[in-house]
Amino acid sequence: MRIILLGAPGAGKGTVAELLIEKYGIPQISTGDMLRSAVKAGTDLGKQAADFMNRGELVPDALIMGLIENRLQEPDARGGFILDGFPRTIEQADQLAAILTKLGMGLDLVVNLEVPEDVIIRRLTSRRTCSNPNCQAIYNIYTKPSQRDGVCDKCGSPTVQRDDETEAVIKKRLSTYQEKTAPLIGYYERNPAYCSVPSLVAGEVIDAIVQRLNR
Ligand code: ADP
Ligand code: ZN
Protein backbone atom coordinates (compact mmCIF):
# COMPACT_ATOMS: atom_id res chain seq x y z
CA MET A 1 0.00 0.00 0.00
CA ARG A 2 1.55 3.30 -1.08
CA ILE A 3 -0.20 6.40 0.16
CA ILE A 4 0.44 10.15 -0.12
CA LEU A 5 -1.19 12.41 2.47
CA LEU A 6 -1.77 15.95 1.21
CA GLY A 7 -3.06 18.85 3.27
CA ALA A 8 -2.15 22.13 4.92
CA PRO A 9 -0.01 22.19 8.06
CA GLY A 10 -2.31 21.12 10.87
CA ALA A 11 -4.71 19.26 8.56
CA GLY A 12 -4.10 16.11 10.60
CA LYS A 13 -1.65 14.25 8.36
CA GLY A 14 0.33 12.94 11.35
CA THR A 15 -2.74 11.68 13.20
CA VAL A 16 -4.16 10.01 10.10
CA ALA A 17 -0.75 8.47 9.37
CA GLU A 18 -0.63 6.94 12.88
CA LEU A 19 -4.01 5.29 12.35
CA LEU A 20 -2.95 4.00 8.92
CA ILE A 21 0.25 2.54 10.40
CA GLU A 22 -1.85 0.56 12.89
CA LYS A 23 -4.21 -0.60 10.19
CA TYR A 24 -1.78 -1.52 7.44
CA GLY A 25 1.54 -1.97 9.23
CA ILE A 26 3.41 0.24 6.79
CA PRO A 27 5.85 2.96 7.84
CA GLN A 28 5.12 6.67 7.87
CA ILE A 29 7.71 8.70 6.01
CA SER A 30 7.56 12.27 7.28
CA THR A 31 10.12 14.62 5.77
CA GLY A 32 9.31 17.09 8.58
CA ASP A 33 10.25 14.51 11.25
CA MET A 34 13.37 13.49 9.31
CA LEU A 35 14.45 17.12 9.02
CA ARG A 36 13.80 17.85 12.70
CA SER A 37 15.91 14.80 13.67
CA ALA A 38 18.70 16.07 11.41
CA VAL A 39 18.50 19.52 13.01
CA LYS A 40 18.66 18.05 16.53
CA ALA A 41 21.52 15.74 15.56
CA GLY A 42 23.39 18.70 14.06
CA THR A 43 24.13 16.95 10.75
CA ASP A 44 25.11 18.94 7.63
CA LEU A 45 21.59 18.53 6.30
CA GLY A 46 20.17 19.76 9.61
CA LYS A 47 22.38 22.83 9.56
CA GLN A 48 21.32 23.67 6.02
CA ALA A 49 17.61 23.11 6.76
CA ALA A 50 17.15 24.81 10.15
CA ASP A 51 16.86 28.44 9.03
CA PHE A 52 14.29 27.66 6.34
CA MET A 53 12.21 25.68 8.83
CA ASN A 54 12.28 28.34 11.53
CA ARG A 55 11.12 30.94 9.02
CA GLY A 56 8.22 28.75 7.87
CA GLU A 57 9.71 28.37 4.39
CA LEU A 58 10.28 25.18 2.45
CA VAL A 59 13.67 23.51 2.55
CA PRO A 60 15.18 23.46 -0.99
CA ASP A 61 14.04 20.50 -3.12
CA ALA A 62 17.62 19.33 -3.64
CA LEU A 63 18.02 18.62 0.09
CA ILE A 64 14.70 16.78 0.29
CA MET A 65 15.01 14.56 -2.76
CA GLY A 66 18.18 12.76 -1.64
CA LEU A 67 16.59 12.09 1.73
CA ILE A 68 13.45 10.61 0.15
CA GLU A 69 15.15 8.55 -2.52
CA ASN A 70 17.22 6.75 0.13
CA ARG A 71 14.33 6.34 2.53
CA LEU A 72 12.05 4.74 -0.07
CA GLN A 73 14.63 2.04 -0.66
CA GLU A 74 14.97 0.95 2.96
CA PRO A 75 13.70 -2.57 3.65
CA ASP A 76 10.71 -1.50 5.75
CA ALA A 77 9.32 0.50 2.81
CA ARG A 78 9.19 -2.50 0.51
CA GLY A 79 5.64 -3.39 1.51
CA GLY A 80 4.48 0.19 1.15
CA PHE A 81 4.59 3.52 2.94
CA ILE A 82 2.67 6.62 3.93
CA LEU A 83 4.22 9.86 2.70
CA ASP A 84 3.42 12.66 5.14
CA GLY A 85 4.54 16.18 4.25
CA PHE A 86 6.08 15.12 0.96
CA PRO A 87 5.76 16.04 -1.89
CA ARG A 88 5.38 19.75 -1.08
CA THR A 89 5.97 21.26 -4.52
CA ILE A 90 5.13 20.35 -8.12
CA GLU A 91 8.86 19.86 -8.68
CA GLN A 92 9.05 17.33 -5.81
CA ALA A 93 5.98 15.53 -7.19
CA ASP A 94 7.59 15.29 -10.65
CA GLN A 95 10.81 13.94 -9.16
CA LEU A 96 8.88 11.50 -6.97
CA ALA A 97 7.09 10.17 -10.05
CA ALA A 98 10.47 9.54 -11.69
CA ILE A 99 11.83 7.76 -8.59
CA LEU A 100 8.73 5.56 -8.29
CA THR A 101 8.95 4.62 -11.96
CA LYS A 102 12.61 3.75 -11.50
CA LEU A 103 11.82 1.59 -8.46
CA GLY A 104 8.83 -0.02 -10.23
CA MET A 105 6.38 1.31 -7.66
CA GLY A 106 2.88 2.75 -8.18
CA LEU A 107 0.64 4.84 -5.95
CA ASP A 108 -2.50 3.35 -4.42
CA LEU A 109 -3.88 6.49 -2.87
CA VAL A 110 -3.31 10.23 -2.87
CA VAL A 111 -5.60 11.71 -0.24
CA ASN A 112 -6.16 15.39 0.38
CA LEU A 113 -7.24 16.27 3.92
CA GLU A 114 -9.59 19.28 3.87
CA VAL A 115 -9.78 21.56 6.93
CA PRO A 116 -10.97 25.20 7.28
CA GLU A 117 -8.19 27.71 8.05
CA ASP A 118 -9.52 28.82 11.48
CA VAL A 119 -9.50 25.20 12.66
CA ILE A 120 -5.94 24.84 11.38
CA ILE A 121 -4.67 27.88 13.29
CA ARG A 122 -6.29 26.68 16.50
CA ARG A 123 -4.84 23.19 16.05
CA LEU A 124 -1.32 24.41 15.37
CA THR A 125 -1.08 26.86 18.25
CA SER A 126 -2.36 24.21 20.67
CA ARG A 127 0.12 21.54 19.59
CA ARG A 128 2.91 20.35 21.86
CA THR A 129 5.68 18.02 20.70
CA CYS A 130 7.94 15.74 22.71
CA SER A 131 11.42 17.26 22.78
CA ASN A 132 13.11 13.84 22.57
CA PRO A 133 14.22 13.53 18.90
CA ASN A 134 13.72 9.75 19.02
CA CYS A 135 10.14 10.11 20.22
CA GLN A 136 8.53 13.27 18.80
CA ALA A 137 5.12 12.28 20.19
CA ILE A 138 2.49 14.94 19.48
CA TYR A 139 -0.05 16.27 21.98
CA ASN A 140 -2.75 18.93 21.92
CA ILE A 141 -3.53 20.99 25.00
CA TYR A 142 -7.30 20.80 24.27
CA THR A 143 -7.93 17.50 22.54
CA LYS A 144 -5.02 15.22 23.45
CA PRO A 145 -3.18 16.51 26.53
CA SER A 146 -0.35 14.49 28.04
CA GLN A 147 -1.24 12.96 31.40
CA ARG A 148 1.17 15.24 33.24
CA ASP A 149 1.32 18.81 31.99
CA GLY A 150 4.44 19.34 29.89
CA VAL A 151 5.71 15.75 30.21
CA CYS A 152 5.61 13.15 27.41
CA ASP A 153 3.49 10.05 28.23
CA LYS A 154 5.69 7.83 26.10
CA CYS A 155 9.19 8.76 27.24
CA GLY A 156 8.97 11.29 30.10
CA SER A 157 10.84 14.06 28.24
CA PRO A 158 9.51 17.63 28.33
CA THR A 159 6.87 18.52 25.72
CA VAL A 160 7.43 21.85 23.98
CA GLN A 161 5.95 24.17 21.37
CA ARG A 162 7.92 23.78 18.16
CA ASP A 163 10.02 26.80 17.07
CA ASP A 164 7.88 27.01 13.94
CA GLU A 165 4.58 26.96 15.84
CA THR A 166 4.41 30.57 16.95
CA GLU A 167 1.52 32.55 15.41
CA ALA A 168 3.74 34.56 13.01
CA VAL A 169 5.56 31.50 11.67
CA ILE A 170 2.30 29.58 11.38
CA LYS A 171 0.84 32.35 9.16
CA LYS A 172 3.96 32.13 7.01
CA ARG A 173 3.72 28.32 6.80
CA LEU A 174 0.10 28.63 5.67
CA SER A 175 0.96 31.14 2.96
CA THR A 176 3.86 28.92 1.85
CA TYR A 177 1.34 26.07 1.69
CA GLN A 178 -1.10 28.09 -0.44
CA GLU A 179 1.60 29.19 -2.84
CA LYS A 180 3.73 26.04 -3.21
CA THR A 181 1.79 23.01 -2.04
CA ALA A 182 -1.91 23.65 -2.72
CA PRO A 183 -1.23 23.43 -6.51
CA LEU A 184 -0.52 19.71 -5.95
CA ILE A 185 -4.28 19.19 -5.65
CA GLY A 186 -4.62 20.17 -9.32
CA TYR A 187 -1.55 18.07 -10.13
CA TYR A 188 -3.01 14.85 -8.67
CA GLU A 189 -6.73 15.52 -9.21
CA ARG A 190 -6.98 13.53 -12.41
CA ASN A 191 -4.91 10.64 -11.04
CA PRO A 192 -7.23 7.65 -10.42
CA ALA A 193 -5.60 7.25 -6.97
CA TYR A 194 -6.70 10.77 -5.88
CA CYS A 195 -9.44 11.57 -3.41
CA SER A 196 -10.27 14.43 -1.06
CA VAL A 197 -11.90 14.02 2.36
CA PRO A 198 -13.02 16.42 5.10
CA SER A 199 -10.59 16.05 8.01
CA LEU A 200 -12.34 17.11 11.19
CA VAL A 201 -12.56 13.69 12.84
CA ALA A 202 -9.57 11.38 12.28
CA GLY A 203 -11.63 8.18 12.56
CA GLU A 204 -13.92 9.34 9.76
CA VAL A 205 -10.94 10.04 7.53
CA ILE A 206 -9.73 6.48 8.02
CA ASP A 207 -13.20 5.07 7.23
CA ALA A 208 -13.28 7.12 4.02
CA ILE A 209 -9.79 5.94 3.07
CA VAL A 210 -10.56 2.27 3.73
CA GLN A 211 -13.81 2.52 1.76
CA ARG A 212 -11.96 4.10 -1.11
CA LEU A 213 -9.19 1.46 -1.11
CA ASN A 214 -11.77 -1.36 -1.13
CA ARG A 215 -13.63 0.10 -4.07
P1 ADP B 1 3.67 20.76 8.82
O1 ADP B 1 3.07 20.67 10.16
O2 ADP B 1 3.88 22.16 8.31
O3 ADP B 1 3.05 19.83 7.84
P2 ADP B 1 6.21 19.34 8.70
O4 ADP B 1 6.57 18.70 9.97
O5 ADP B 1 5.76 18.49 7.59
O6 ADP B 1 5.15 20.44 9.08
O7 ADP B 1 7.43 20.24 8.18
C1 ADP B 1 8.06 21.21 8.97
C2 ADP B 1 8.98 22.05 8.11
O8 ADP B 1 9.96 21.20 7.50
C3 ADP B 1 8.31 22.76 6.96
O9 ADP B 1 7.79 24.01 7.35
C4 ADP B 1 9.45 22.90 5.96
O10 ADP B 1 10.33 23.96 6.31
C5 ADP B 1 10.22 21.62 6.15
N1 ADP B 1 9.78 20.53 5.24
C6 ADP B 1 9.18 19.36 5.59
N2 ADP B 1 8.93 18.59 4.51
C7 ADP B 1 9.38 19.29 3.44
C8 ADP B 1 9.40 19.06 2.04
N3 ADP B 1 8.89 17.93 1.50
N4 ADP B 1 9.95 20.02 1.25
C9 ADP B 1 10.46 21.16 1.76
N5 ADP B 1 10.46 21.45 3.06
C10 ADP B 1 9.93 20.53 3.92
ZN1 ZN C 1 8.45 11.43 24.18
Side-chain angles (χ1 to χ4, degrees), residues 5 12-22 28 82 84 206:
L5 295 178
K13 298 188 294 290
T15 310
V16 168
E18 268 181 44
L19 294 171
L20 289 172
I21 293 169
E22 268 172 43
Q28 168 195 20
I82 305 154
D84 161 8
I206 300 301

Side-chain angles (χ1 to χ4, degrees), residues 130 132 135 137 152 154-155:
C130 175
N132 171 359
C135 177
C152 178
K154 294 189 181 152
C155 76

Side-chain angles (χ1 to χ4, degrees), residues 4-14 16 58 83-88 110-115 120 123-124 173-174 176-178 180-185 188 194-197 199:
I4 294 180
L5 295 178
L6 294 179
K13 298 188 294 290
V16 168
L58 293 181
L83 291 177
D84 161 8
F86 174 89
R88 275 281 229 292
V110 179
V111 54
N112 178 45
L113 306 182
E114 302 161 20
V115 186
I120 282 180
R123 276 185 189 171
L124 288 175
R173 282 164 65 205
L174 289 174
T176 303
Y177 167 79
Q178 285 304 340
K180 303 271 174 58
T181 308
L184 285 178
I185 294 172
Y188 283 116
Y194 178 83
C195 71
S196 188
V197 297
S199 180

Side-chain angles (χ1 to χ4, degrees), residues 163-179:
D163 289 342
D164 64 351
E165 285 180 349
T166 59
E167 186 119 2
V169 179
I170 286 169
K171 292 240 162 80
K172 175 66 187 168
R173 282 164 65 205
L174 289 174
S175 75
T176 303
Y177 167 79
Q178 285 304 340
E179 185 193 340

Side-chain angles (χ1 to χ4, degrees), residues 12-171:
K13 298 188 294 290
T15 310
V16 168
E18 268 181 44
L19 294 171
L20 289 172
I21 293 169
E22 268 172 43
K23 190 150 185 78
Y24 294 109
I26 49 178
Q28 168 195 20
I29 299 181
S30 157
T31 44
D33 285 348
M34 292 164 86
L35 290 168
R36 278 185 291 278
S37 299
V39 171
K40 292 238 168 74
T43 63
D44 274 354
L45 171 70
K47 284 180 193 143
Q48 293 179 68
D51 285 345
F52 294 102
M53 296 172 73
N54 289 335
R55 285 197 300 262
E57 291 169 17
L58 293 181
V59 169
D61 291 342
L63 295 181
I64 298 289
M65 293 314 304
L67 204 62
I68 278 287
E69 180 151 15
N70 291 332
R71 184 65 188 88
L72 292 183
Q73 295 180 71
E74 279 175 29
D76 68 331
R78 240 169 249 155
F81 46 76
I82 305 154
L83 291 177
D84 161 8
F86 174 89
R88 275 281 229 292
T89 63
I90 301 271
E91 180 59 28
Q92 289 181 12
D94 275 336
Q95 293 192 37
L96 172 66
I99 293 171
L100 291 177
T101 304
K102 194 169 88 184
L103 298 176
M105 295 175 171
L107 289 171
D108 298 289
L109 188 70
V110 179
V111 54
N112 178 45
L113 306 182
E114 302 161 20
V115 186
E117 181 156 322
D118 56 325
V119 176
I120 282 180
I121 290 179
R122 192 180 128 97
R123 276 185 189 171
L124 288 175
T125 50
S126 57
R127 189 145 83 177
R128 298 293 177 273
T129 307
C130 175
S131 56
N132 171 359
N134 296 319
C135 177
Q136 305 191 0
I138 292 172
Y139 301 93
N140 183 294
I141 53 176
Y142 305 119
T143 59
K144 194 189 172 197
S146 53
Q147 271 164 9
R148 278 181 56 205
D149 223 24
V151 179
C152 178
D153 293 344
K154 294 189 181 152
C155 76
S157 303
T159 60
V160 295
Q161 214 167 357
R162 265 166 43 182
D163 289 342
D164 64 351
E165 285 180 349
T166 59
E167 186 119 2
V169 179
I170 286 169
K171 292 240 162 80

